[in-house]
Every structure is written in C-alpha cells, then in structure tokens.
Amino acid sequence: MMKLSDKKATLSFSDGSAPIEFPVYSGTIGPDVIDIRKLYSQSGMFTYDPGFLATASCESSITFIDGDKGQLLYRGYPIDQIAKNCDFLDVAYLILNGELPNPAQKTEFDSLITHHSMVHEQLHFFLRGFRRDAHPMAVLTGLVGALSAFYHDSTDITNPRHREISAIRLIAKMPTLVAMAYKYSLGQPFIHPQNDLSYTGNFVRMMFATPCEDYKVNDVVERALDRIFILHADHEQNASTSTVRLCGSSGTNPFAAIAAGVACLWGPAHGGANEACLQMLEHLQANGGVAKVGEFMEKVKDKNSGVRLMGFGHRVYKNYDPRAKLMQETCKEVLSALGLEKDPLFKLAMELERIALEDKYFVDRKLYPNVDFYSGIVQRAIGIPPSLFTAVFALARTVGWIAQWNEMLSDPDYKIGRPRQLYMGSAVRNVPAKH
Ligand code: CMC
C-alpha cells in the first residue's frame, strides 16, 4: 500500500486564485507521487502530459526500474540474480504471485502450464485463413484475440477461477501459437507440444522439429531462449502494458486485453525494435560493414535523415539497460557454442556500441544499448527469423501483461481509463444552411 507522506504539494496560480494543496504518497522505493485526483474538481483544470512522461498511472508491486542506475527488479529481485538463478517458469510464478515458488509449488505450476499448452484443434483451421506470407505479429494479434472465442468458459473477469484459468491458458498456449505461426509461414506441419520437455525446450521443438525425424533440443539454445524470455517477462508501465491495462479497464476479457498488448508491442519504437535493429545491422553489413560505421553514425546524428540507431535509447533507462548486459553475455555464449564467434553482425554491433558510448551525441542524451541491441543477433543465431522476433517478445511479455491486468482488477482504486485533452478544434459553429 502506498504511504501518505508528511510532505504536501501546493499549486499556486498567478491570477490570485486560492492555492490548492495535494497529498503526496511514497512508494517502497522510487519517486514520490502527487495525488492530483481532485485537481479538476478544485480548479477546473487538467494536467497536460503527452506520452505520460510524468504520470504514475497506477500503484504496482510487480516491477521496479531505476533508469538512472540502470536497475531492474522483479518483485524486488535484481534482474541479473533472477537471470542467473531461475528458469522462465520460476519467473512467471514470481511475477504472477509475488514470491518465488518452493519445490512443490514449482512442480505443480510447471505441470499446470505444461498441461494447457495444446490449443483447440479448431484454432488450426482459424490460422489457415491467414495468408502464408502474413507478418507473424498480424497472425498473433488475430490468434490471441480469437482465444476468447475458443475459450469463452474463462472470460468472466469477476470470477477469480476464470481469471486464473485464462492466465494459465495464455502463458501455456503462447509458445504453441508463435510456433504455429512460424510453421504456417514455412508450409510445414504444426508440431504438437510434448509434455516431457521444459516450457522453453518445448517451444524450441515446436519451432524446429518436423514429423520426419527425432529432434533433440540443444541445451545452449534452450538456455539462451529461456534468458530472452526472462529478460522480457515484465517491464513496468511500458506502452503495451499500459495498453493492456487501459483495454482491460473497460472490463473486457483477458484474451482481448492481451491481444491489444500484442498489437501495441508490434510497433518499431517498442517490441518491433529487435526486428528493426537486426534489419539495420544487415543493411549496414550489406553496404560496407564496419568500414561504413562512421558514416552511418553521422546519419543517425543528423535529425533530417530520419535514421535512428535501433536498439539504443530508452524512455526510462538513462544508463546501460541491465538486460542489454545479460543479453550481450548470452550472445557471446551462443555464438561460441554454435561456432559463430566471427559473426560479422556481432562485430558490427560491438563497433556501433563502442563508437556510440564515446560519442558526445549519445553521451549527452544518455543513450545506451537497450535489450534489443543484442537479442536479434542471438535469435538469428538460433535460427529464429527476424519477422518472428517480436512474437517471441510477446510470448514472454504475456506473463507481465497478465500479472499487471490481475493487479489492476484487484486494485480498489481501479477505474475505467479515461484521459482528458486540451481541445484545439473549432468552437461551436452552425452547419451552413444548404447542408
Ligand atoms: N538514435 C538516435 N537518436 C536517438 C535515439 C536513437 N536510437 N533515441 C533517442 N534519440 C535522441 C532523440 O532524437 C532526441 O534527441 P533531441 O533531444 O536532440 O531531440 C533524444 O535522443 C531523446 O529522444 P526521445 O525520442 O525524446 O526519447 P524517448 O524517451 O521518447 O524515446 C525510444 C525512447 C526508445 C522511443 C527511443 O530512444 C528510440 O526510438 N530508440 C530506438 C528504438 C528502440 O531501440 N526501441 C526499443 C526500446 S527497449 C524495448 C522496449 O521496451 O520495447
């Protein structure tokens, strides 16, 4: 629960109207917030904050980011400790329930997820309605939204049991749906889940196995993907999470709310950055490689060029994204285990990073590599095509979206989201007579 601070905030006006006092609340860590809920009733004014740069939209206990320190906590645990000591389903349990599972809870949770990974057979036919060359995020947005039509026995959001089942279904079925979207694009048969594999091992098999031969999941690949999932599991009130909360605030069912999150994640400034980052590296490699990095960086710094260094910069981190460090470590491990140490794209990325970290433009703006800078290289080495990167992100982020949606529904202060505006259109006017 947020704590009322001794401090108060006072808003005064230059026109002589009476000042207004607002309560200030403190969280466990992080900046205090000024409670302006009564601002409109007391002053007739709204606040103006495009992009919500200065607005805490909710109270939350799930994830904490200190952007200046480059710190990320899941339920209080630092991301590097989590990444080194937990698997993705430990993290999913932690994010959903607030604590890491004990061995019995872990066994039960793993089994529950495993036994919900198969999808309704009819979904295969629904998927077949898409063009084979459709973007996987277009397919995923449709498939996740469609789950509400296939699993309408768990869409009553006022029923805690329905909420629990839909959460398990979404987490369990996401890998199956992403792998199905991939297999469909290749024209290969769908591979059903196999219950003796881990969550991530099962995803790897559904992606890369064919019915023609046995498939053995490579440990390094499984570990690398598991880390990608862990690093993407939740990230506070980012655009897609806020979308899920706003969409869910109307009381819609969780499948519809998560589909909205998938759609938001697709954008190149958010989840689509990993695909855009790899495309940028490939383009640069095809047009001169390391020798042309300097020239490319000049374009990035030229505001008229419209070119951004993808995988760099973050709305909250004004320091090295802690996930980027872990991803760089995984990148080295995967490339070495797969005999790809000389990967030219990795070399290119390291060179871009080196230059950027020394360049005044990036230093002044506190632009550092974010998680997407290296995740594309890892996924490409594993054999995941760039068009599927954001779908892999969506798979992992589903855990965070559901936890945040659940937290919102349990919050006594929860209301339908309804931002206001500063209207700049025409004042009232009459339609001309001839109309
Ligand atoms: N390359 C070049 N310049 C940049 C970049 C970049 N990647 N990012 C920010 N800037 C500049 C920007 O032009 C602006 O300069 P000025 O002050 O001179 O106008 C300044 O830095 C601040 O940028 P901003 O766009 O106001 O910052 P923001 O907080 O609104 O945007 C961002 C954050 C992530 C959208 C942006 O940094 C960006 O577009 N990065 C590239 C895309 C990317 O990698 N996104 C992944 C984010 S992490 C994964 C996720 O959470 O989904």
Side-chain angles (χ1 to χ4, degrees):
M1 280 296 282
M2 51 190 191
K3 206 170 91 255
L4 194 59
S5 152
D6 297 338
K7 219 171 10 185
K8 291 220 178 315
T10 308
L11 180 65
S12 55
F13 302 88
S14 56
D15 65 357
S17 5
I20 309 175
E21 212 169 65
F22 298 102
V24 172
Y25 292 100
S26 303
T28 328
I29 34 177
D32 291 349
V33 298
I34 304 170
D35 179 353
I36 54 156
R37 280 176 288 184
K38 299 226 163 76
L39 175 67
Y40 181 63
S41 63
Q42 294 187 0
S43 71
M45 287 185 209
F46 298 128
T47 53
Y48 180 63
D49 183 22
F52 311 118
L53 270 82
T55 297
S57 62
C58 61
E59 181 188 329
S60 183
S61 311
I62 303 173
T63 299
F64 175 78
I65 304 172
D66 184 327
D68 293 324
K69 275 196 208 152
Q71 182 185 55
L72 168 62
L73 310 177
Y74 287 168
R75 300 281 189 185
Y77 296 116
I79 189 67
D80 54 327
Q81 291 183 29
I82 291 272
K84 287 173 184 155
N85 296 295
C86 302
D87 71 15
F88 180 64
L89 287 189
D90 287 322
V91 175
Y93 188 96
L94 171 71
I95 288 179
L96 289 173
N97 301 301
E99 295 299 335
L100 283 164
N102 64 32
Q105 288 166 331
K106 179 67 177 5
T107 308
E108 193 189 335
F109 185 67
D110 283 7
S111 163
L112 196 60
I113 296 286
T114 302
H115 288 94
H116 280 87
S117 53
M118 210 161 67
V119 295
H120 194 294
E121 196 60 16
Q122 195 60 24
L123 252 167
H124 293 188
F125 298 99
F126 178 77
L127 173 54
R128 285 180 206 282
F130 285 99
R131 288 171 54 137
R132 296 251 178 203
D133 61 356
H135 193 285
M137 285 302 277
V139 174
L140 201 62
T141 310
L143 286 182
V144 174
L147 290 178
S148 44
F150 289 89
Y151 300 99
H152 42 76
D153 58 344
S154 60
T155 51
D156 175 4
I157 63 154
T158 59
N159 183 330
R161 183 74 189 126
H162 278 217
R163 275 156 58 179
E164 194 187 327
I165 297 172
S166 55
I168 296 297
R169 281 179 167 158
L170 272 157
I171 296 168
K173 293 182 199 310
M174 221 42 190
T176 315
L177 296 181
V178 174
M180 278 167 59
Y182 177 53
K183 287 298 196 189
Y184 185 68
S185 73
L186 294 179
Q188 288 186 5
F190 302 133
I191 302 293
H192 284 98
Q194 189 173 303
N195 288 356
D196 59 353
L197 294 175
S198 72
Y199 183 85
T200 307
N202 188 35
F203 175 63
V204 173
R205 184 175 168 276
M206 288 190 291
M207 286 283 294
F208 301 119
T210 68
C212 316
E213 56 193 15
D214 287 342
Y215 182 85
K216 167 120 183 50
V217 177
N218 178 321
D219 290 351
V220 177
V221 168
E222 181 178 343
R223 222 181 16 254
L225 254 182
D226 204 66
R227 178 166 280 191
I228 290 180
F229 291 170
I230 290 171
L231 299 185
H232 288 87
D234 193 46
H235 213 225
E236 229 222 44
Q237 308 310 320
N238 56 81
S240 59
T241 302
S242 299
T243 299
V244 170
R245 280 186 179 257
L246 189 58
C247 182
S249 76
S250 71
T252 193
N253 73 74
F255 303 110
I258 304 295
V262 175
C264 176
L265 189 74
W266 192 358
H270 191 9
N274 49 19
E275 181 180 351
C277 181
L278 197 84
Q279 279 165 355
M280 172 192 82
L281 292 173
E282 282 175 340
H283 179 78
L284 198 50
Q285 182 60 24
N287 290 282
V290 173
K292 292 282 180 182
V293 162
E295 211 174 283
F296 175 72
M297 287 303 239
E298 288 312 309
K299 262 197 220 145
V300 168
K301 292 189 276 178
D302 174 6
K303 286 276 147 57
N304 299 319
S305 72
V307 178
R308 279 200 166 194
L309 181 57
M310 298 313 286
F312 253 74
H314 197 274
R315 170 59 63 79
V316 183
Y317 293 117
K318 300 303 168 199
N319 199 329
Y320 212 100
D321 177 344
R323 303 168 303 168
K325 281 201 187 102
L326 291 156
M327 195 52 78
Q328 194 198 56
E329 192 183 290
T330 298
C331 194
K332 284 185 184 152
E333 198 180 300
V334 166
L335 295 178
S336 134
L338 300 180
L340 301 168
E341 297 93 334
K342 298 211 171 94
D343 181 56
L345 293 198
F346 183 59
K347 281 205 172 135
L348 199 52
M350 297 278 282
E351 182 60 6
L352 283 169
E353 180 184 335
R354 190 190 63 75
I355 296 180
L357 293 181
E358 287 170 2
D359 192 298
K360 189 171 167 2
Y361 174 95
F362 293 90
V363 174
D364 286 355
R365 289 169 180 75
K366 299 191 174 156
L367 299 171
Y368 293 87
N370 60 51
V371 68
D372 292 324
F373 198 60
Y374 289 104
S375 74
I377 301 175
V378 176
Q379 293 191 64
R380 175 172 158 274
I382 289 173
I384 297 175
S387 61
L388 213 73
F389 291 177
T390 316
V392 169
F393 187 163
L395 180 173
R397 184 56 58 84
T398 296
V399 166
W401 288 332
I402 293 169
Q404 301 266 355
W405 172 79
N406 251 327
E407 187 181 61
M408 176 186 73
L409 293 183
S410 327
D411 185 341
D413 283 339
Y414 137 67
K415 290 191 169 30
I416 182 168
R418 179 57 171 93
R420 303 303 296 256
Q421 63 175 8
L422 177 65
Y423 178 67
M424 296 298 289
S426 300
V428 179
R429 52 181 174 159
N430 294 318
V431 175
K434 67 177 179 168
H435 290 270

